[in-house]
Amino acid sequence: MTAEQASAAVSEARQWERLMELATIGAIPGDGVNRACLTRQDRAARRTLIAWARAAGATISVDDAANLWLRREGSEPDAAPVLTGSHMDTQPRGGRFDGIYGVIAGLETLTALHEAGVVTRRPIEVVAWTNEEGGRFAPGCMGSMAWAGVKPLATWDDVTDPEGVRFSNALIEHLASEADLPRRGLGSRPYAYVEAHIEQGPRLEEAGADIGVVSGIQGSRWFLVTLSGETAHAGTTPLALRRDAVQDMVRAINALNALMHDPKDVLRFTVGRILVEPNTSNSVASKASFTIDFRHPDAAVLEARGDAIHGVVQAAVRDAEVAIEESFHAPPIEFAPEVIRAVEAAAAAEGCATLQLSSGAFHDAQFVALVCPTGMIFVPSRGGVSHNPAEFTAPAQLAAGTRVLARTLVALAG
Ligand code: GLV
Ligand code: MN
Ligand code: MN
Protein backbone atom coordinates (compact mmCIF):
# COMPACT_ATOMS: atom_id res chain seq x y z
CA MET A 1 0.00 0.00 0.00
CA THR A 2 2.74 2.49 0.89
CA ALA A 3 4.48 1.78 -2.42
CA GLU A 4 1.22 2.53 -4.25
CA GLN A 5 0.84 5.81 -2.36
CA ALA A 6 4.42 6.84 -3.01
CA SER A 7 4.11 6.10 -6.71
CA ALA A 8 0.78 7.92 -7.00
CA ALA A 9 2.21 11.02 -5.31
CA VAL A 10 5.11 11.35 -7.80
CA SER A 11 4.43 14.48 -9.86
CA GLU A 12 5.57 14.45 -13.48
CA ALA A 13 4.97 18.21 -13.79
CA ARG A 14 6.85 19.19 -10.62
CA GLN A 15 9.82 17.00 -11.50
CA TRP A 16 10.01 18.40 -15.05
CA GLU A 17 9.71 22.02 -13.82
CA ARG A 18 12.52 21.43 -11.34
CA LEU A 19 14.76 19.88 -13.97
CA MET A 20 14.09 22.80 -16.31
CA GLU A 21 14.76 25.32 -13.54
CA LEU A 22 18.10 23.70 -12.72
CA ALA A 23 18.93 23.60 -16.45
CA THR A 24 18.93 27.42 -16.43
CA ILE A 25 21.89 27.37 -14.02
CA GLY A 26 24.86 27.09 -16.38
CA ALA A 27 22.69 27.04 -19.52
CA ILE A 28 24.56 27.00 -22.85
CA PRO A 29 23.21 27.34 -26.40
CA GLY A 30 21.24 24.43 -27.84
CA ASP A 31 19.47 23.48 -24.56
CA GLY A 32 22.73 22.36 -22.97
CA VAL A 33 24.24 22.89 -19.53
CA ASN A 34 27.80 23.64 -18.43
CA ARG A 35 27.83 23.29 -14.65
CA ALA A 36 31.24 22.12 -13.52
CA CYS A 37 31.70 20.88 -9.96
CA LEU A 38 32.55 23.32 -7.14
CA THR A 39 31.75 26.40 -9.25
CA ARG A 40 29.38 29.29 -8.61
CA GLN A 41 26.79 27.52 -10.78
CA ASP A 42 27.16 24.27 -8.81
CA ARG A 43 26.63 26.18 -5.55
CA ALA A 44 23.53 27.93 -6.94
CA ALA A 45 22.03 24.63 -8.08
CA ARG A 46 22.74 23.04 -4.69
CA ARG A 47 21.08 25.95 -2.83
CA THR A 48 17.97 25.47 -4.97
CA LEU A 49 17.99 21.74 -4.24
CA ILE A 50 18.42 22.37 -0.50
CA ALA A 51 15.42 24.74 -0.42
CA TRP A 52 13.20 22.16 -2.15
CA ALA A 53 14.43 19.38 0.15
CA ARG A 54 13.76 21.42 3.29
CA ALA A 55 10.23 22.13 2.07
CA ALA A 56 9.78 18.36 1.83
CA GLY A 57 10.86 17.93 5.45
CA ALA A 58 14.36 16.63 4.75
CA THR A 59 17.40 17.46 6.86
CA ILE A 60 20.54 18.53 5.04
CA SER A 61 24.23 17.85 5.64
CA VAL A 62 27.47 17.96 3.69
CA ASP A 63 30.52 15.73 4.08
CA ASP A 64 34.25 16.42 3.77
CA ALA A 65 34.21 15.75 0.02
CA ALA A 66 31.24 18.14 -0.38
CA ASN A 67 28.88 15.28 -1.12
CA LEU A 68 25.47 16.75 -0.25
CA TRP A 69 23.03 14.64 1.81
CA LEU A 70 19.22 15.02 2.11
CA ARG A 71 17.70 12.75 4.74
CA ARG A 72 14.14 11.71 5.50
CA GLU A 73 13.81 9.92 8.83
CA GLY A 74 12.29 6.49 9.15
CA SER A 75 10.31 5.06 12.05
CA GLU A 76 13.58 3.38 13.14
CA PRO A 77 16.06 6.27 12.95
CA ASP A 78 18.99 3.99 13.81
CA ALA A 79 18.29 1.54 11.00
CA ALA A 80 20.73 1.65 8.08
CA PRO A 81 19.28 4.07 5.50
CA VAL A 82 18.34 3.27 1.95
CA LEU A 83 20.37 5.55 -0.30
CA THR A 84 19.65 7.04 -3.71
CA GLY A 85 21.11 9.92 -5.71
CA SER A 86 23.54 10.82 -8.46
CA HIS A 87 25.53 13.94 -9.43
CA MET A 88 24.77 17.58 -10.28
CA ASP A 89 27.91 18.47 -12.27
CA THR A 90 27.90 18.28 -16.05
CA GLN A 91 30.30 17.96 -18.95
CA PRO A 92 31.44 21.32 -20.42
CA ARG A 93 29.03 20.74 -23.30
CA GLY A 94 26.59 18.62 -21.35
CA GLY A 95 22.85 18.15 -21.38
CA ARG A 96 19.98 18.76 -18.97
CA PHE A 97 19.61 15.24 -17.56
CA ASP A 98 22.93 13.42 -17.08
CA GLY A 99 23.32 13.17 -13.30
CA ILE A 100 20.79 15.74 -12.16
CA TYR A 101 17.90 13.44 -13.08
CA GLY A 102 18.95 10.91 -10.42
CA VAL A 103 19.18 13.62 -7.74
CA ILE A 104 15.83 15.16 -8.66
CA ALA A 105 14.18 11.71 -8.91
CA GLY A 106 15.41 11.05 -5.35
CA LEU A 107 14.08 14.42 -4.19
CA GLU A 108 10.76 13.75 -5.97
CA THR A 109 10.51 10.48 -4.04
CA LEU A 110 11.13 12.28 -0.73
CA THR A 111 8.56 14.92 -1.68
CA ALA A 112 6.00 12.28 -2.69
CA LEU A 113 6.48 10.40 0.61
CA HIS A 114 6.14 13.68 2.51
CA GLU A 115 2.92 14.64 0.74
CA ALA A 116 1.42 11.17 1.00
CA GLY A 117 2.36 10.96 4.70
CA VAL A 118 4.13 7.64 4.14
CA VAL A 119 6.62 6.65 6.83
CA THR A 120 9.17 3.99 5.98
CA ARG A 121 10.93 1.89 8.59
CA ARG A 122 14.42 2.79 7.38
CA PRO A 123 15.50 6.39 6.73
CA ILE A 124 15.89 7.34 3.07
CA GLU A 125 18.83 9.50 2.03
CA VAL A 126 19.44 11.30 -1.25
CA VAL A 127 23.06 12.12 -2.05
CA ALA A 128 24.50 14.46 -4.69
CA TRP A 129 28.03 13.14 -5.25
CA THR A 130 30.85 15.63 -5.89
CA ASN A 131 32.63 15.65 -9.27
CA GLU A 132 31.25 12.58 -11.00
CA GLU A 133 32.11 13.87 -14.46
CA GLY A 134 35.79 14.65 -14.03
CA GLY A 135 35.37 17.42 -16.60
CA ARG A 136 36.91 20.15 -14.48
CA PHE A 137 39.10 18.05 -12.16
CA ALA A 138 40.15 14.60 -13.43
CA PRO A 139 39.27 11.89 -12.67
CA GLY A 140 35.52 11.63 -12.15
CA CYS A 141 33.76 10.02 -9.18
CA MET A 142 36.02 11.69 -6.62
CA GLY A 143 33.16 12.17 -4.15
CA SER A 144 31.96 8.58 -4.25
CA MET A 145 35.49 7.13 -4.27
CA ALA A 146 36.44 9.17 -1.19
CA TRP A 147 33.18 8.21 0.58
CA ALA A 148 33.64 4.51 -0.26
CA GLY A 149 37.25 4.57 0.97
CA VAL A 150 38.64 3.62 -2.45
CA LYS A 151 41.12 6.53 -2.22
CA PRO A 152 41.81 9.14 0.46
CA LEU A 153 40.41 12.55 -0.43
CA ALA A 154 43.93 14.03 -0.30
CA THR A 155 44.85 11.91 -3.36
CA TRP A 156 43.51 14.70 -5.57
CA ASP A 157 44.78 17.76 -3.65
CA ASP A 158 47.15 18.77 -6.44
CA VAL A 159 44.86 18.08 -9.39
CA THR A 160 44.32 21.36 -11.22
CA ASP A 161 41.53 22.57 -13.49
CA PRO A 162 42.29 24.16 -16.90
CA GLU A 163 42.71 27.55 -15.14
CA GLY A 164 45.28 26.13 -12.71
CA VAL A 165 42.96 26.07 -9.66
CA ARG A 166 43.85 23.22 -7.29
CA PHE A 167 41.12 20.77 -6.32
CA SER A 168 41.94 21.16 -2.63
CA ASN A 169 41.49 24.95 -2.84
CA ALA A 170 38.24 24.67 -4.79
CA LEU A 171 36.95 22.25 -2.17
CA ILE A 172 37.93 24.50 0.77
CA GLU A 173 36.26 27.49 -0.89
CA HIS A 174 33.15 25.46 -1.64
CA LEU A 175 32.84 24.03 1.88
CA ALA A 176 33.25 27.54 3.34
CA SER A 177 30.24 28.62 1.28
CA GLU A 178 28.24 25.81 2.90
CA ALA A 179 29.51 26.34 6.44
CA ASP A 180 25.90 26.88 7.56
CA LEU A 181 25.16 23.19 6.83
CA PRO A 182 25.89 20.49 9.41
CA ARG A 183 29.05 18.58 8.49
CA ARG A 184 29.25 14.79 8.46
CA GLY A 185 32.26 12.56 8.04
CA LEU A 186 33.07 10.49 4.97
CA GLY A 187 31.77 6.95 4.85
CA SER A 188 28.62 5.29 6.10
CA ARG A 189 26.92 1.89 5.80
CA PRO A 190 23.67 2.19 3.85
CA TYR A 191 21.34 -0.78 3.64
CA ALA A 192 21.26 -0.44 -0.17
CA TYR A 193 21.84 2.11 -2.95
CA VAL A 194 19.70 2.65 -6.04
CA GLU A 195 20.71 5.28 -8.62
CA ALA A 196 18.36 6.52 -11.34
CA HIS A 197 20.02 7.82 -14.51
CA ILE A 198 19.37 8.39 -18.19
CA GLU A 199 20.65 5.49 -20.28
CA GLN A 200 22.97 7.66 -22.44
CA GLY A 201 22.81 5.03 -25.19
CA PRO A 202 20.25 3.80 -27.73
CA ARG A 203 19.27 0.38 -26.42
CA LEU A 204 16.08 1.12 -24.46
CA GLU A 205 14.65 3.18 -27.31
CA GLU A 206 15.54 0.48 -29.85
CA ALA A 207 13.90 -2.19 -27.68
CA GLY A 208 10.81 -0.05 -26.98
CA ALA A 209 11.48 -0.44 -23.23
CA ASP A 210 10.44 2.13 -20.59
CA ILE A 211 12.91 1.08 -17.92
CA GLY A 212 16.44 -0.30 -17.98
CA VAL A 213 17.18 -2.72 -15.16
CA VAL A 214 20.93 -2.30 -14.92
CA SER A 215 22.91 -5.48 -14.34
CA GLY A 216 26.33 -3.87 -13.86
CA ILE A 217 28.89 -1.40 -15.21
CA GLN A 218 31.85 -2.04 -17.49
CA GLY A 219 35.35 -1.20 -16.27
CA SER A 220 37.13 2.07 -17.10
CA ARG A 221 40.73 3.23 -16.99
CA TRP A 222 41.99 6.79 -17.61
CA PHE A 223 45.57 7.66 -18.54
CA LEU A 224 47.41 10.90 -19.25
CA VAL A 225 50.22 10.48 -21.79
CA THR A 226 52.84 13.23 -21.96
CA LEU A 227 55.40 13.29 -24.79
CA SER A 228 58.31 15.69 -24.42
CA GLY A 229 60.41 16.76 -27.40
CA GLU A 230 62.02 20.07 -28.25
CA THR A 231 60.66 23.23 -29.81
CA ALA A 232 62.31 24.55 -32.97
CA HIS A 233 61.72 26.89 -35.92
CA ALA A 234 59.15 25.49 -38.37
CA GLY A 235 60.79 27.14 -41.38
CA THR A 236 64.44 26.41 -40.80
CA THR A 237 64.77 23.13 -38.87
CA PRO A 238 65.29 20.06 -41.10
CA LEU A 239 62.85 17.23 -40.27
CA ALA A 240 65.70 14.89 -39.43
CA LEU A 241 66.89 17.21 -36.66
CA ARG A 242 63.51 17.67 -34.98
CA ARG A 243 62.18 16.12 -31.81
CA ASP A 244 58.57 16.85 -32.68
CA ALA A 245 56.13 15.89 -29.91
CA VAL A 246 53.07 16.18 -32.17
CA GLN A 247 54.47 13.78 -34.77
CA ASP A 248 55.25 11.31 -31.97
CA MET A 249 51.74 11.74 -30.61
CA VAL A 250 50.35 10.77 -34.03
CA ARG A 251 52.59 7.66 -34.04
CA ALA A 252 51.51 6.80 -30.49
CA ILE A 253 47.77 7.17 -31.19
CA ASN A 254 48.08 5.08 -34.37
CA ALA A 255 49.79 2.31 -32.40
CA LEU A 256 47.16 2.54 -29.64
CA ASN A 257 44.37 2.24 -32.22
CA ALA A 258 45.97 -1.03 -33.30
CA LEU A 259 46.30 -2.23 -29.67
CA MET A 260 42.67 -1.37 -28.97
CA HIS A 261 41.29 -2.82 -32.21
CA ASP A 262 38.23 -4.95 -31.44
CA PRO A 263 36.29 -6.55 -34.32
CA LYS A 264 33.35 -7.13 -31.95
CA ASP A 265 33.16 -3.37 -31.15
CA VAL A 266 32.82 -4.02 -27.42
CA LEU A 267 35.98 -2.20 -26.39
CA ARG A 268 35.81 1.60 -26.04
CA PHE A 269 38.93 3.70 -26.67
CA THR A 270 38.81 7.52 -26.70
CA VAL A 271 41.41 10.27 -26.97
CA GLY A 272 39.31 13.24 -25.91
CA ARG A 273 41.73 15.93 -24.80
CA ILE A 274 45.01 17.04 -26.40
CA LEU A 275 47.30 19.81 -25.18
CA VAL A 276 50.26 21.03 -27.21
CA GLU A 277 53.08 23.40 -26.27
CA PRO A 278 53.96 26.01 -27.34
CA ASN A 279 50.84 25.67 -29.53
CA THR A 280 51.77 27.99 -32.41
CA SER A 281 51.68 27.32 -36.17
CA ASN A 282 55.32 28.01 -36.79
CA SER A 283 57.00 26.21 -33.91
CA VAL A 284 57.72 22.50 -33.64
CA ALA A 285 55.87 21.20 -30.56
CA SER A 286 58.02 20.64 -27.48
CA LYS A 287 55.25 18.87 -25.64
CA ALA A 288 52.08 16.99 -26.49
CA SER A 289 49.84 15.41 -23.90
CA PHE A 290 46.68 13.46 -24.48
CA THR A 291 44.12 11.59 -22.41
CA ILE A 292 43.07 7.98 -22.86
CA ASP A 293 39.64 6.77 -21.75
CA PHE A 294 39.62 2.98 -22.15
CA ARG A 295 36.67 0.76 -21.17
CA HIS A 296 35.77 -2.91 -21.31
CA PRO A 297 33.31 -5.17 -19.45
CA ASP A 298 35.87 -7.98 -19.07
CA ALA A 299 38.32 -7.38 -16.21
CA ALA A 300 41.02 -9.49 -17.90
CA VAL A 301 40.89 -7.41 -21.11
CA LEU A 302 40.82 -4.18 -19.10
CA GLU A 303 43.94 -5.25 -17.21
CA ALA A 304 45.91 -6.70 -20.14
CA ARG A 305 45.35 -3.97 -22.72
CA GLY A 306 45.53 -1.17 -20.16
CA ASP A 307 48.83 -2.52 -18.87
CA ALA A 308 50.14 -2.76 -22.45
CA ILE A 309 49.64 0.97 -23.14
CA HIS A 310 53.01 2.07 -21.82
CA GLY A 311 55.03 -0.40 -23.90
CA VAL A 312 53.05 0.31 -27.06
CA VAL A 313 53.53 4.09 -26.75
CA GLN A 314 57.19 3.70 -25.92
CA ALA A 315 57.77 1.49 -28.97
CA ALA A 316 55.84 3.82 -31.28
CA VAL A 317 57.50 7.16 -30.58
CA ARG A 318 60.67 8.14 -32.41
CA ASP A 319 62.19 10.99 -30.40
CA ALA A 320 60.06 12.10 -27.49
CA GLU A 321 60.37 11.16 -23.85
CA VAL A 322 57.32 9.29 -22.62
CA ALA A 323 55.55 9.73 -19.28
CA ILE A 324 52.24 8.00 -18.56
CA GLU A 325 50.09 8.46 -15.49
CA GLU A 326 47.00 6.42 -14.67
CA SER A 327 44.42 8.63 -12.95
CA PHE A 328 41.34 6.39 -12.79
CA HIS A 329 40.76 2.67 -12.51
CA ALA A 330 37.20 1.45 -12.05
CA PRO A 331 36.93 -2.33 -12.31
CA PRO A 332 33.81 -3.81 -13.93
CA ILE A 333 31.08 -4.61 -11.40
CA GLU A 334 27.91 -6.69 -11.24
CA PHE A 335 25.02 -5.24 -9.28
CA ALA A 336 23.41 -7.05 -6.31
CA PRO A 337 20.75 -9.62 -7.34
CA GLU A 338 18.40 -8.47 -4.55
CA VAL A 339 18.45 -4.87 -5.78
CA ILE A 340 17.99 -5.98 -9.40
CA ARG A 341 14.98 -8.04 -8.26
CA ALA A 342 13.55 -5.08 -6.34
CA VAL A 343 13.83 -2.84 -9.44
CA GLU A 344 12.26 -5.54 -11.61
CA ALA A 345 9.35 -5.98 -9.19
CA ALA A 346 8.79 -2.20 -9.01
CA ALA A 347 8.80 -1.90 -12.81
CA ALA A 348 6.35 -4.80 -13.10
CA ALA A 349 4.02 -3.15 -10.56
CA GLU A 350 4.12 0.01 -12.69
CA GLY A 351 3.35 -1.98 -15.85
CA CYS A 352 6.61 -0.83 -17.46
CA ALA A 353 8.35 -2.73 -20.26
CA THR A 354 11.88 -3.49 -19.09
CA LEU A 355 15.21 -4.43 -20.61
CA GLN A 356 18.09 -5.73 -18.54
CA LEU A 357 21.32 -4.11 -19.69
CA SER A 358 24.84 -3.29 -18.57
CA SER A 359 26.07 0.32 -18.38
CA GLY A 360 28.71 1.62 -20.77
CA ALA A 361 29.02 4.85 -18.79
CA PHE A 362 30.61 4.78 -15.36
CA HIS A 363 28.61 6.01 -12.39
CA ASP A 364 29.08 6.67 -8.68
CA ALA A 365 27.14 3.42 -8.20
CA GLN A 366 30.31 1.61 -9.34
CA PHE A 367 32.03 2.64 -6.11
CA VAL A 368 28.99 2.55 -3.82
CA ALA A 369 28.62 -1.10 -4.89
CA LEU A 370 31.83 -1.83 -2.94
CA VAL A 371 30.07 -0.74 0.27
CA CYS A 372 26.46 -1.98 0.04
CA PRO A 373 24.05 -3.86 -2.27
CA THR A 374 23.59 -1.57 -5.26
CA GLY A 375 21.58 -1.25 -8.47
CA MET A 376 20.54 1.30 -11.07
CA ILE A 377 17.42 2.28 -13.00
CA PHE A 378 17.78 3.69 -16.53
CA VAL A 379 15.26 5.69 -18.54
CA PRO A 380 15.56 6.02 -22.35
CA SER A 381 17.75 8.65 -24.02
CA ARG A 382 16.38 9.98 -27.31
CA GLY A 383 18.64 8.79 -30.13
CA GLY A 384 21.08 7.51 -27.50
CA VAL A 385 22.54 11.05 -27.34
CA SER A 386 24.43 12.12 -24.20
CA HIS A 387 27.37 14.34 -23.16
CA ASN A 388 25.77 16.67 -25.70
CA PRO A 389 23.33 19.61 -25.33
CA ALA A 390 20.76 17.66 -27.36
CA GLU A 391 20.37 15.01 -24.60
CA PHE A 392 16.61 14.43 -24.14
CA THR A 393 14.19 12.23 -22.22
CA ALA A 394 10.47 13.09 -22.22
CA PRO A 395 8.76 14.19 -18.97
CA ALA A 396 6.56 11.06 -18.93
CA GLN A 397 9.59 8.76 -19.35
CA LEU A 398 11.41 10.54 -16.52
CA ALA A 399 8.32 10.27 -14.30
CA ALA A 400 8.01 6.54 -15.04
CA GLY A 401 11.60 6.06 -13.91
CA THR A 402 10.92 8.02 -10.72
CA ARG A 403 7.81 5.99 -9.91
CA VAL A 404 9.89 2.81 -10.28
CA LEU A 405 12.57 4.39 -8.08
CA ALA A 406 9.99 5.39 -5.44
CA ARG A 407 8.55 1.86 -5.32
CA THR A 408 12.01 0.32 -5.14
CA LEU A 409 13.10 2.62 -2.31
CA VAL A 410 9.91 2.01 -0.32
CA ALA A 411 10.27 -1.76 -0.79
CA LEU A 412 13.87 -1.68 0.41
CA ALA A 413 13.13 0.75 3.26
CA GLY A 414 10.25 -1.38 4.52
C1 GLV B 1 30.47 9.34 -17.10
O1 GLV B 1 30.20 10.52 -17.28
C2 GLV B 1 31.19 8.60 -18.08
O2 GLV B 1 32.04 9.17 -18.78
O3 GLV B 1 30.89 7.40 -18.22
MN1 MN C 1 26.12 10.79 -15.11
MN1 MN D 1 28.28 12.06 -17.67
Side-chain angles (χ1 to χ4, degrees), residues 166-185:
R166 293 173 78 231
F167 176 71
S168 56
N169 289 343
L171 187 60
I172 289 167
E173 186 187 337
H174 179 94
L175 288 171
S177 81
E178 293 181 347
D180 56 309
L181 302 177
R183 185 69 82 79
R184 58 189 262 168

Side-chain angles (χ1 to χ4, degrees), residues 163-303:
E163 267 72 57
V165 177
R166 293 173 78 231
F167 176 71
S168 56
N169 289 343
L171 187 60
I172 289 167
E173 186 187 337
H174 179 94
L175 288 171
S177 81
E178 293 181 347
D180 56 309
L181 302 177
R183 185 69 82 79
R184 58 189 262 168
L186 283 169
S188 56
R189 282 257 152 213
Y191 176 70
Y193 177 66
V194 190
E195 179 169 346
H197 206 283
I198 58 167
E199 181 203 345
Q200 309 183 273
R203 293 186 56 199
L204 293 177
E205 199 173 67
E206 279 167 13
D210 310 305
I211 294 293
V213 181
V214 188
S215 55
I217 306 183
Q218 70 174 339
S220 300
R221 294 177 75 174
W222 282 11
F223 300 86
L224 177 66
V225 181
T226 304
L227 303 177
S228 301
E230 194 174 9
T231 192
H233 195 293
T236 59
T237 316
L239 298 193
L241 295 186
R242 296 182 181 191
R243 294 179 60 224
D244 185 332
V246 160
Q247 292 300 336
D248 269 342
M249 176 176 70
V250 171
R251 292 182 189 100
I253 293 176
N254 278 335
L256 288 168
N257 279 331
L259 170 71
M260 299 297 182
H261 178 66
D262 174 17
K264 295 201 190 98
D265 200 16
V266 171
L267 187 152
R268 300 284 177 260
F269 170 69
T270 306
V271 174
R273 183 160 189 242
I274 294 176
L275 295 174
V276 172
E277 287 176 20
N279 207 19
T280 66
S281 317
N282 49 350
S283 290
V284 172
S286 57
K287 199 169 182 184
S289 61
F290 63 95
T291 56
I292 295 173
D293 177 312
F294 161 47
R295 310 191 191 198
H296 203 279
D298 182 336
V301 176
L302 194 74
E303 292 310 308

